[in-house]
Amino acid sequence: MTTTENTMGPWDASGLHSVGRLPMRALRRTPEVELDGAWDFQLLPTPTAPLGLTWKKIQVPSLWTMQPDLADGDVPHYTNVPMPFDEVPPQVPADNPTGVYRRVIQLAPVPGRRTVLHVGAAEGLLRVIVNDRPVGNSSDSHLAAEFDITDAVVPGTNRIDLRVAKWSAATYLEDQDQWWQSGLTRSVYLYTVPDIALADVSAVADYDPETGRGDLKVDVSTSGLDHLYDTGGWSVRIDVLNRSIRLPVSARLVTRTLPKPSLDRSVRPEPLLPPDFMDLLSINAAGAPVPPEFRAIPATMTQLPAPAAPAGCVAFSLSDLPVTPWSAETPHLEDLVVQLVSPDGKVADEARVRIGFRRVRVEGRDLLVNGERILIQGVARHDVDPRTGRVMSRERQLAELSLLKRFNVNAIRTSHYPNDPQFLDLCDEIGFYVVDEADVEGHAFASTIADDPAYLSEIVERVSRMVLRDRNHPSVISWSLGNETGYGAAHDAAAGWIRSFDPTRPLHYEGAISADWHVGHAATDLLCPMYPALASLTGYSADPRADRPLITCEYAFSMGNGTGGLSDYWELFESLPGLQGGFIWHFTDHSLDPDGDGRYRYGGDFGDETHNGPMLAYGVVFPDLTPKPAMFEARGLFSPVRVVSDAEEARAGTLRIRNRQSFADLGAYTLELRVETPAGPVGAVAVPTPEVAAGAEGTIEIPASVRELVKSGPLALTLTVRTRETALWAPAGTEIAAEQVTFPQAPVRLPAAPARRPVLPVDTKGNLNHPLLRRSPRLSLWRALTCHDKSFSLDNRFVRTGFFQLTPADVEVKETGDGALVTTRYEAAFGDEVVHRRTITALGDGDWVLAEQVSLPEGTGDGLRVGVEFELVDGFEDAGWVGLGPWENYPDRRASALLGAWESPIDDLAVPYILPQENGTRGGVTALTLTGPAGTVSTTHPTALHMNVGRYEVSEIEAAEHWWELQPSGKTVVHLDIAHRGLGTAVLGPDTHPRHRLAGSEYAWEWRLTLSQTD
């Protein structure tokens, strides 16, 4: 094909104007010719470059950027805000990789039926050519494009070319903190429809919580009939809720016009109308008094005609229906069957829609579903699979939603574009509240693009096409106008269209309120800020101007080891008026693994420049959907059951619980009690689930066997919540939460020195010597910086301390009556002095009590940790501890951690954050035991410490840029900290609360170290 042939119309190189694309609709058709699979493929340097002679094979759907053998250097490229090129809107880069997909198929077109090509999603500017005939083009990378190719196909052999240009003017609206990729990301297929067919179906299924009854409005449009003044007996039948209703298709109306004046002057015409009677039209419209001379005129003569039903349409309205309402807790769906019936009574076309009866309203500062105030326990979600990029299989989507449901997440924001329709089908069925977000983010040019007339129609069309496609989904409770595109005229235009077209759902747009929480009402009904400070939330709740429900569109930024302070947010969400939760940023890490070797890549790893590095590793689950510890924190906070009683009530034999749900009782769950002791859990027993209505409290009678165990002074009483029945998202018996009542513990005293003083193996540097110690316990003030520790907002706070480097300047060892006093004066990196005093008391061979005192430089305002670090020789494999667990926890991310006795292989204690950083710490630890072929090492701590056991030193972790760069190690490195800083979310959002910062300069504690070598 020549260059001229390659660029012949119809063609819009800007991408801001679709050509030949069919209108978006909610009605979905079944594929008749599936075109997923192998296609011929060429990658051209520009859209106008001529085709070459050599074709390769590519799978559809897929991204060519994920396949080095096809990409020819066009690799995944990650940016957060900047565009990956230097041009400005609406300029298109000259270097514009263009994928050409070709498929030859056999067709036998049937007369009287239209053939439609469905392209589920094309990442870039799509152009369709069939049998060398240009059909049309489309941008909007995350919604389907359909083209009527009836006039282009022929009986027999047909060739379909799909050309995808990576860049267009529309690309500036897809700057969404993601990998820049290209290809066909959703299924491609053909279907046919009769010449007279169903065009679309809209179903509004309303539920009245006052009466418990439902109303249903079904609007059906057809194609092929709207031009007829007489539809000749065509009708539409709907079947729903055991009812069948059939109505005729509306015909085209004759256009009304003023009568022509009579030209007959042969007789005197009789007066028919009073003078000035036309004035009544505006008088009535204005509500003005009607002059007496006009009062006798019949009203029908002065009324404007009522709006007529659109031609070719049918409107059904059913009221006072006995229905079961839909909610995320009880996602009840009904089947709606719509049939187009020909004059001879035959079904000419049919559609099936699953509907859910529910009502969404904003009343004052409350978002209500079915009349109840709900809490949004949500996550923001991108389409991302580490192997395939944005190509999402149904299996992956189901796995994601199942995981979220098992962790008590009830809401999803489709950041920052509409998801696959089958994803919303699953949300309808499994039960999620969805904020459906339009594919509009012009982040790099947010200050101007929404007021640029060139982008007005494209922004409005992207918003409206999403609404048209997704309006029948009960899971969709709010429409989002997009993300981080400033606020301009295009947003108000899009909002105005939605308010007229679909008044049943509130609007969401953060850009309208980002600078002032009390404005932007035209574009958003929800106050949806990003990463708010806790003080801003309490302030808004108390502000008399606050008039909308606050639901954070993004909060708890979870990059690396983060999500600190989630429980602080939820303390406010559950206690203050006007606050209703929000969407954690983010669900999954976006790191890619195209080779499947477990080596997750981030920005720059593909040679992409410029880039934003590991900024995209911000999920509460890893790319393979392994939950991070932060996900378990959320699980506990989002639990449907909350224990609200204390240890005293438990000792008395009762446990009070609250049902945190808004609609359902607790019948869907089974409950189990167990007692946590320093030796491990005991006494597990199932208990009956009490009848507790949504929002109410109930009492569990603790069985006698458990009460006896409670009397012995255990650590905690644990209530485990499991699913009762098998569901699509989990088998019966799946644990979804664990709640605890903890008991006060008697003080632990370490042994005094024995009468006969053992030998104390302390050298002149103050080191303890033992065959199991590779490095003696020494002071540790530094952790491998987390992403949040390095945040620009913390202004190098920790580096300024110089605690990353402690050089012994002076060591003094003095014998005492029971052992030795070691005083070490350290010089920090910038010359400050740190003094560490340790009193060592020998209890026996390899058994010591260590009393620690640490004095930090005057003026130290914040730090990372204060504790000791030691390293064991190779040969330790397992760890056991009494404290918080089983997952990693920190001072500001421990609300859902459980107190008990835990065991784990040492290799499994680490959390392999993609960018290596501090990880694996457990708090509240009073005892630690490490075992393996080398021997046994145990520590005891009267004051609970933070424990970290791993295979790498802090310096090794900080030196690595990816977890997979850390080589397997037999080391056992132990940290025991009297103080450890919280995590916070300072990369984007609040730092850890001041109570979790290390503001002190003096620290003291004691602990026992016992080492026993294997014989």
Side-chain angles (χ1 to χ4, degrees):
M1 177 175 290
T2 66
T3 302
T4 301
E5 292 170 324
N6 196 24
T7 58
M8 62 185 179
W11 178 239
D12 168 51
S14 76
L16 298 179
H17 310 283
S18 66
V19 176
R21 186 177 68 192
L22 294 175
M24 182 57 77
R25 64 196 78 199
L27 188 151
R28 304 217 306 264
R29 295 290 185 173
T30 301
E32 296 177 37
V33 180
E34 296 190 5
L35 297 178
D36 287 357
W39 287 59
D40 293 327
F41 180 77
Q42 287 192 30
L43 185 62
L44 307 179
T46 68
T48 58
L51 286 170
L53 299 177
T54 302
W55 293 85
K56 298 181 179 180
K57 291 292 183 181
I58 192 171
Q59 291 293 310
V60 171
S62 73
L63 297 164
W64 74 68
T65 43
M66 292 289 288
Q67 303 170 71
D69 59 322
L70 299 175
D72 193 23
D74 185 23
V75 296
H77 188 167
Y78 171 59
T79 63
N80 179 5
V81 178
M83 298 298 293
F85 46 75
D86 291 332
E87 283 76 8
V88 299
Q91 297 171 1
V92 181
D95 182 7
N96 191 1
T98 300
V100 180
Y101 297 76
R102 174 167 291 178
R103 182 80 175 262
V104 176
I105 60 174
Q106 300 297 312
L107 293 176
V110 177
R113 295 189 70 85
R114 311 294 298 178
T115 300
V116 178
L117 170 66
H118 172 99
V119 181
E123 193 99 346
L125 174 56
L126 169 70
R127 184 185 178 209
V128 178
I129 301 171
V130 178
N131 294 327
D132 291 329
R133 179 172 177 170
V135 172
N137 64 267
S138 172
S139 61
D140 200 351
S141 294
H142 301 280
L143 285 175
E146 293 190 334
F147 303 89
D148 187 334
I149 61 172
T150 305
D151 297 336
V153 297
V154 297
T157 300
N158 290 266
R159 191 180 73 198
I160 300 174
D161 282 7
L162 303 179
R163 300 167 180 266
V164 181
K166 185 166 188 172
W167 310 124
S168 71
T171 301
Y172 295 96
L173 295 179
E174 298 180 358
D175 181 20
Q176 292 153 331
D177 185 12
Q178 62 179 340
W179 291 102
W180 293 98
Q181 305 252 38
S182 291
L184 299 173
T185 58
R186 296 178 190 160
S187 290
V188 179
Y189 56 83
L190 300 178
Y191 66 85
T192 65
V193 295
D195 287 338
I196 299 177
L198 295 172
D200 206 359
V201 175
S202 171
V204 178
D206 182 48
Y207 175 75
D208 186 345
E210 296 295 326
T211 64
R213 310 287 281 187
D215 295 337
L216 178 63
K217 297 183 183 299
V218 181
D219 292 315
V220 182
S221 59
T222 66
S223 58
L225 295 173
D226 54 357
H227 65 292
L228 299 176
Y229 292 106
D230 181 355
T231 54
W234 284 87
S235 62
V236 172
R237 179 170 57 232
I238 65 169
D239 290 281
V240 64
L241 296 169
N242 298 315
R243 300 185 181 201
S244 184
I245 304 170
R246 181 172 170 181
L247 294 175
V249 176
S250 61
R252 178 182 177 186
L253 297 180
V254 176
T255 303
R256 297 178 63 178
T257 185
L258 294 175
K260 296 179 179 180
S262 173
L263 299 178
D264 184 5
R265 300 182 182 180
S266 61
V267 296
R268 186 192 307 272
E270 293 294 327
L272 300 177
L273 302 170
D276 303 321
F277 90 99
M278 289 290 287
D279 292 351
L280 268 181
L281 294 174
S282 58
I283 290 172
N284 287 336
V290 177
E293 63 270 22
F294 291 159
R295 291 172 185 167
I297 298 176
T300 54
M301 296 183 64
T302 59
Q303 289 178 344
L304 292 172
C313 296
V314 182
F316 297 87
S317 182
L318 290 74
S319 60
D320 197 31
L321 301 171
V323 298
T324 300
W326 184 98
S327 72
E329 297 167 15
T330 56
H332 181 82
L333 297 172
E334 299 284 356
D335 290 322
L336 168 66
V337 179
V338 181
Q339 294 177 327
L340 177 62
V341 182
S342 67
D344 60 5
K346 295 181 179 179
V347 176
D349 199 6
E350 180 176 285
R352 295 178 178 268
V353 182
R354 302 198 80 190
I355 60 174
F357 286 84
R358 58 102 180 96
R359 177 180 291 178
V360 182
R361 294 284 189 275
V362 171
E363 295 185 5
R365 292 202 290 172
D366 292 325
L367 172 66
L368 305 177
V369 172
N370 299 336
E372 297 293 334
R373 186 176 187 270
I374 62 171
L375 287 173
I376 297 296
Q377 301 173 169
V379 297
R381 177 194 173 277
H382 266 283
D383 280 344
V384 59
D385 182 297
R387 294 298 309 279
T388 59
R390 264 185 294 280
V391 178
M392 303 293 291
S393 67
R394 185 181 185 278
E395 292 73 23
R396 170 79 181 199
Q397 294 172 41
L398 178 57
E400 289 188 7
L401 292 174
S402 298
L403 177 64
L404 289 170
K405 193 76 171 182
R406 293 195 300 269
F407 278 73
N408 305 313
V409 171
N410 70 1
I412 296 167
R413 174 176 168 234
T414 68
S415 52
H416 302 292
Y417 39 78
N419 291 171
D420 193 316
Q422 67 181 357
F423 183 84
L424 294 181
D425 291 343
L426 290 169
C427 290
D428 294 341
E429 183 174 358
I430 294 173
F432 289 94
Y433 302 118
V434 175
V435 172
D436 203 357
E437 190 150 283
D439 191 7
V440 178
E441 181 171 342
H443 204 161
F445 297 92
S447 62
T448 59
I449 200 165
D451 284 319
D452 187 338
Y455 284 88
L456 171 62
S457 60
E458 179 68 9
I459 290 173
V460 173
E461 188 166 34
R462 285 173 177 240
V463 172
S464 63
R465 293 182 79 232
M466 170 188 70
V467 174
L468 287 165
R469 190 196 72 167
D470 296 340
R471 54 188 158 158
N472 291 338
H473 288 281
S475 58
V476 176
I477 65 168
S478 177
W479 303 116
S480 171
L481 304 183
N483 185 65
E484 293 178 323
T485 312
Y487 180 37
H491 293 111
D492 285 342
W497 182 88
I498 295 178
R499 293 190 189 284
S500 177
F501 184 81
D502 178 26
T504 69
R505 295 175 174 95
L507 300 187
H508 169 289
Y509 184 58
E510 181 269 343
I513 55 88
S514 60
D516 185 343
W517 288 8
H518 304 287
V519 300
H521 291 77
T524 186
D525 302 307
L526 305 177
L527 198 284
C528 45
M530 288 184 178
Y531 311 110
L534 298 176
S536 68
L537 299 180
T538 56
Y540 180 81
S541 178
D543 195 322
R545 297 173 297 167
D547 58 0
R548 288 170 286 187
L550 188 153
I551 297 170
T552 65
C553 73
E554 296 173 18
Y555 78 114
F557 193 78
S558 296
M559 184 179 180
N561 191 1
T563 329
L566 186 63
S567 60
D568 292 334
Y569 275 111
W570 276 89
E571 183 178 350
L572 300 183
F573 292 153
E574 296 194 84
S575 63
L576 296 182
L579 310 183
Q580 285 187 252
F583 297 90
I584 293 172
W585 188 271
H586 184 270
F587 175 38
T588 62
D589 282 344
H590 286 200
S591 299
L592 299 177
D593 180 18
D595 301 327
D597 57 10
R599 298 187 171 195
Y600 293 122
R601 280 78 155 181
Y602 50 72
D605 286 344
F606 296 97
D608 46 315
E609 293 290 348
T610 57
H611 61 80
N612 287 100
M615 187 76 175
L616 48 63
Y618 41 36
V620 290
V621 304
F622 286 104
D624 65 355
L625 302 186
T626 298
K628 297 180 184 178
M631 189 68 167
F632 286 93
E633 179 81 344
R635 187 188 78 161
L637 294 170
F638 297 168
S639 168
V641 177
R642 178 72 39 79
V643 172
V644 293
S645 55
D646 57 17
E648 184 177 345
E649 290 179 68
R651 290 194 188 98
T654 60
L655 197 66
R656 283 187 299 114
I657 60 174
R658 178 183 299 127
N659 179 355
R660 293 185 62 254
Q661 299 177 111
S662 298
F663 303 100
D665 62 23
L666 297 180
Y669 307 111
T670 63
L671 305 178
E672 179 188 272
L673 286 174
R674 71 172 184 264
V675 176
E676 309 291 350
T677 76
V682 296
V685 59
V687 294
T689 303
E691 294 184 7
V692 185
E697 293 185 4
T699 300
I700 297 173
E701 296 295 331
I702 299 176
S705 60
V706 177
R707 289 202 300 270
E708 286 300 313
L709 293 169
V710 167
K711 291 178 181 178
S712 64
L715 300 171
L717 178 64
T718 302
L719 176 70
T720 303
V721 184
R722 293 187 173 89
T723 57
R724 186 180 299 277
E725 305 289 344
T726 294
L728 177 63
W729 51 275
T734 298
E735 181 179 316
I736 64 164
E739 291 277 307
Q740 280 192 325
V741 173
T742 58
F743 298 94
Q745 300 297 301
V748 175
R749 293 186 179 277
L750 296 179
R756 184 176 179 181
R757 178 179 173 183
V759 176
L760 185 61
V762 178
D763 63 22
T764 58
K765 296 182 179 179
N767 295 319
L768 283 165
N769 295 306
H770 189 277
L772 294 181
L773 284 175
R774 179 172 288 156
R775 285 191 290 119
S776 174
R778 63 164 288 173
L779 179 65
S780 176
L781 302 179
W782 192 255
R783 70 186 183 192
L785 294 180
T786 70
C787 300
H788 304 279
D789 294 337
K790 293 183 283 189
S791 167
F792 80 96
S793 64
L794 297 188
D795 191 27
N796 285 307
R797 178 183 305 174
F798 308 114
V799 173
R800 284 201 303 274
T801 67
F803 292 164
F804 57 88
Q805 176 181 303
L806 295 178
T807 303
D810 179 72
V811 179
E812 182 182 18
V813 180
K814 289 184 178 180
E815 290 192 13
T816 65
D818 297 327
L821 171 62
V822 180
T823 302
T824 306
R825 299 181 183 277
Y826 292 95
E827 183 178 299
F830 304 119
D832 298 300
E833 183 180 73
V834 176
V835 180
H836 177 207
R837 296 178 177 86
R838 168 181 290 156
T839 300
I840 306 172
T841 302
L843 303 180
D845 184 20
D847 190 4
W848 308 296
V849 171
L850 297 90
E852 318 278 6
Q853 288 182 295
V854 177
S855 298
L856 301 181
E858 184 177 350
T860 299
D862 199 358
L864 295 168
R865 70 174 357 137
V866 176
V868 296
E869 174 193 20
F870 59 93
E871 183 181 335
L872 304 177
V873 297
D874 291 3
F876 287 88
E877 298 173 351
D878 297 296
W881 72 98
V882 177
L884 294 176
W887 47 82
E888 168 197 88
N889 54 84
Y890 289 84
D892 61 352
R893 204 190 65 209
R894 63 193 293 179
S896 301
L898 304 173
L899 182 61
W902 309 104
E903 295 180 348
S904 171
I906 292 173
D907 288 340
D908 293 346
L909 290 173
V911 180
Y913 296 107
I914 291 170
L915 178 67
Q917 56 198 278
E918 160 66 28
N919 71 90
T921 292
R922 274 80 172 170
V925 176
T926 55
L928 168 66
T929 301
L930 304 173
T931 59
T936 300
V937 174
S938 62
T939 66
T940 308
H941 333 122
T943 301
L945 302 180
H946 305 271
M947 173 272 292
N948 188 300
V949 179
R951 298 301 192 188
Y952 305 105
E953 300 174 42
V954 168
S955 59
E956 293 175 304
I957 295 173
E958 286 203 303
E961 295 184 344
H962 302 81
W963 187 265
W964 44 265
E965 293 175 7
L966 293 167
Q967 297 302 308
S969 170
K971 294 180 181 179
T972 299
V973 180
V974 182
H975 283 267
L976 296 173
D977 301 328
I978 185 63
H980 198 106
R981 195 180 196 273
L983 300 168
T985 59
V987 171
L988 279 176
D991 187 16
T992 191
H993 193 278
R995 68 180 180 275
H996 301 306
R997 302 177 193 176
L998 276 57
S1001 59
E1002 299 289 333
Y1003 296 87
W1005 72 103
E1006 62 176 356
W1007 58 295
R1008 181 180 182 180
L1009 174 61
T1010 306
L1011 304 99
S1012 176
Q1013 203 171 1
T1014 299
D1015 294 336

